[in-house]
Amino acid sequence: MTLPDWRDESSFGSMIRAGLWLETEVGEGNVFTKAQLREAFAGVAQIDRRLRDLRSHGWQIDTRREDPTLEQDEQRYVKRGAEVWIPGQAKAKAQSTLTAAQRTKTMQQDNYLCRSCGIGSGETYEDGSSTAQLDIARRKVRLPNGKTETQLVTECIKCRIGGRSREEDLAGMVEQVKALSAIERQVLAGWIKADRRDRGVLERLWGHYRALPGEARAVLAAAVNGETEQEG
C-alpha cells in the first residue's frame, strides 16, 4: 500500500504529516533526532507537540525517559498506531492519556514500587549504573472469567522497556492458588499482606544444605528426619 506524501500540506495537518514522515522517512524501530524532525517540518510551529499527539492514537515513540539508551535529543519510532491519514481514524483515539489522578492512584496502590523488580523511585540499581525512575505502564491481564483487560501498573523505566508485550495470566494463577496446601496459602497470604517476601528459615537452610559436602548433608538430613547421626 502506497502512503500519502507527508509533504502534502494542503491535504493533511501537522500531526498526520508527522505520522507519515515517521512511516516513510524513519521506519519502525529506528532513531531520529529533534533536529531532523524540525528540519523536515521547517516553519511548522510546535511540531514536537504534534508528534507527541500521535501517542494518544496508539503510536509508540520513545524518548530517553522510556529508553535510557537514547541520547537527550534522540527519539525512537517503535510502533505505528491508528492510520490517522485515513478519514475518521484521527478522531478515534486508540489509547487515552492518563490523568494525574490515575497516575497517583496507581502508584499509591503499588506502594510506589516497581511491580516488576521491586525498586523504589530514586533508589540505585544493583549495578550502580543509575537511579530508578517510576512510571505507569499498561499491562494486559487475563481474568478468571476468560476475558482480557488492560490494567495500570507501576514500573521503573528499565522494566518498562522489556515488558511492553507482557501479559499476565491471572486465571492460571488463581487455579494454582487453589491447589496450594493450607500452610502454603498461609505463607503466601503473609507475603501479600506485607507486600514483600523475605527469605525464611527453610529457604536459608535449603540454600546452606545444597552447599554442604555429602557427609555433612547426611547429618543434616538425619536431623530433619528426627534421626541421630553418630560422630565417627
Side-chain angles (χ1 to χ4, degrees):
M1 177 181 176
T2 302
L3 296 175
D5 189 346
W6 65 272
R7 302 176 185 83
D8 188 354
E9 300 181 35
S10 61
S11 301
F12 305 110
S14 299
M15 183 193 74
I16 295 175
R17 291 176 56 214
L20 289 168
W21 178 76
L22 288 176
E23 278 288 283
T24 57
E25 302 296 326
V26 179
E28 286 191 5
N30 294 322
V31 173
F32 63 95
T33 65
K34 292 180 181 179
Q36 289 172 324
L37 174 66
R38 290 167 184 166
E39 182 181 355
F41 291 89
V44 177
Q46 297 184 322
I47 187 58
D48 291 357
R49 179 175 294 183
R50 300 288 80 79
L51 186 78
R52 290 197 299 271
D53 288 342
L54 287 167
R55 294 192 178 109
S56 64
H57 298 276
W59 292 60
Q60 185 178 335
I61 305 164
D62 287 355
T63 64
R64 184 176 175 82
R65 182 181 179 184
E66 293 83 22
D67 185 348
T69 65
L70 295 172
E71 297 297 331
Q72 194 65 42
D73 66 334
E74 292 180 332
Q75 297 183 65
R76 188 187 304 278
Y77 171 36
V78 181
K79 185 179 66 175
R80 184 175 79 183
E83 297 176 331
V84 292
W85 48 87
I86 297 177
Q89 288 292 309
K91 294 181 180 179
K93 293 190 176 184
Q95 207 174 54
S96 60
T97 303
L98 292 179
T99 65
Q102 285 177 308
R103 295 177 65 85
T104 300
K105 180 182 178 181
T106 302
M107 287 198 175
Q108 285 178 340
Q109 68 186 12
D110 289 341
N111 291 329
Y112 296 93
L113 297 172
C114 172
R115 304 315 291 188
S116 292
C117 71
I119 199 169
S121 179
E123 293 182 356
T124 303
Y125 290 101
E126 290 186 359
D127 59 8
S129 60
S130 59
T131 56
Q133 298 180 47
L134 298 183
D135 207 343
I136 304 301
R138 290 178 170 86
R139 182 72 47 76
K140 289 183 179 180
V141 179
R142 189 165 72 86
L143 304 174
N145 62 11
K147 295 182 179 180
T148 298
E149 70 177 26
T150 300
Q151 299 181 359
L152 301 179
V153 63
T154 305
E155 277 192 325
C156 69
I157 300 302
K158 281 190 175 183
C159 290
R160 264 192 82 184
I161 294 171
R164 290 194 175 97
S165 60
R166 184 171 166 183
E167 182 172 331
E168 302 294 354
D169 183 11
L170 179 59
M173 294 179 196
V174 170
E175 291 303 313
Q176 291 181 56
V177 166
K178 291 178 180 179
L180 294 177
S181 67
I183 294 178
E184 289 173 324
R185 283 199 188 196
Q186 185 178 1
V187 172
L188 181 58
W191 293 343
I192 291 173
K193 183 177 180 180
D195 199 21
R196 60 180 294 173
R197 183 185 79 92
D198 294 323
R199 291 185 66 200
V201 175
L202 290 179
E203 289 177 295
R204 291 197 296 271
L205 281 171
W206 171 248
H208 292 316
Y209 168 80
R210 293 190 62 186
L212 289 173
E215 293 180 9
R217 289 200 307 273
V219 173
L220 188 58
V224 171
N225 294 315
E227 303 169 3
T228 302
E229 283 281 337
Q230 299 295 325
E231 293 186 4

